[in-house]
Amino acid sequence: MKKKLIFLIMASTLLGSCKTTNKLETVKEVDIQKYSGKWYEIANYPNSFQKNCTATTAEYTLTEKGTVIVENRCRKFTLDGKESYIKGKAFVVKNSNNTKLKVQFFWPFKGDYWIIDLDKNYQWAVVSEPSRKYLWILARQNKMDQAIYDSIIKTLGNKGFDISKVVKTIH
């Protein structure tokens, strides 16, 4: 019994140490109407569902029911490659001031979509989720001023993100 207890304590300590020590915070609030529209992916953490994507965009449309239609597009391999498209919907998480959404592309699965940084004029945004496994830097245009990009990267480093994993998107 004592060996089992020691093992459980060691396992929980190891699992606890694997977690990021600082909790990921979102922005204070988001006006979904202002956030709606087309966004260009400026950079991201590479992930399997966007493999070989270039010219990636996301378009958000607020519905009368308060959900958000999500339409993601990219070109495969090259800027004139075959278009890849997926449509889903997002649901605002209650009491999050519209800063946290649950995005669903395939029922019944939903993923976290947290807005962790946002330009006051809604010209750029940074999106992630609690574990920091996914990351997207978005902008209203397909190019971003280098000084703004550098500032975002610095802020991400301060928030516990591995900035060496960030890859710029080709447009």
Side-chain angles (χ1 to χ4, degrees), residues 94-170:
K94 191 175 180 179
N95 300 319
S96 71
N97 291 326
N98 302 327
T99 64
K100 297 177 183 178
L101 292 93
K102 290 285 190 178
V103 178
Q104 182 178 59
F105 290 101
F106 302 102
W107 185 87
F109 306 105
K110 292 180 185 172
D112 289 309
Y113 181 107
W114 287 18
I115 302 167
I116 62 168
D117 207 352
L118 180 63
D119 174 58
K120 66 180 180 176
N121 296 316
Y122 290 72
Q123 294 304 298
W124 58 262
V126 181
V127 176
S128 187
E129 44 72 52
S131 73
R132 295 175 175 83
K133 181 179 178 183
Y134 299 103
L135 175 71
W136 294 273
I137 299 172
L138 308 172
R140 294 295 187 174
Q141 298 178 7
N142 65 4
K143 291 184 170 79
M144 178 180 273
D145 179 83
Q146 189 64 43
I148 293 171
Y149 180 81
D150 292 343
S151 175
I152 291 169
I153 293 296
K154 182 178 179 182
T155 300
L156 287 170
N158 292 338
K159 290 182 178 186
F161 286 87
D162 180 352
I163 58 173
S164 71
K165 292 180 7 182
V166 178
V167 175
K168 286 190 172 182
T169 303
I170 298 168

Side-chain angles (χ1 to χ4, degrees), residues 36-89:
S36 294
K38 188 172 188 175
W39 291 90
Y40 294 86
E41 180 185 274
I42 300 301
N44 72 2
Y45 274 179
N47 59 69
S48 61
F49 49 88
Q50 286 185 275
K51 190 174 181 175
N52 301 315
C53 274
T54 64
T56 304
T57 62
E59 190 155 357
Y60 306 108
T61 306
L62 184 61
T63 69
E64 291 177 8
K65 293 181 180 179
T67 60
V68 179
I69 300 299
V70 180
E71 296 177 278
N72 291 344
R73 289 179 170 82
C74 78
R75 296 283 178 174
K76 289 297 189 171
F77 299 100
T78 64
L79 293 176
D80 59 352
K82 182 180 178 185
E83 182 180 79
S84 176
Y85 171 83
I86 190 165
K87 184 176 182 178
K89 55 180 134 174

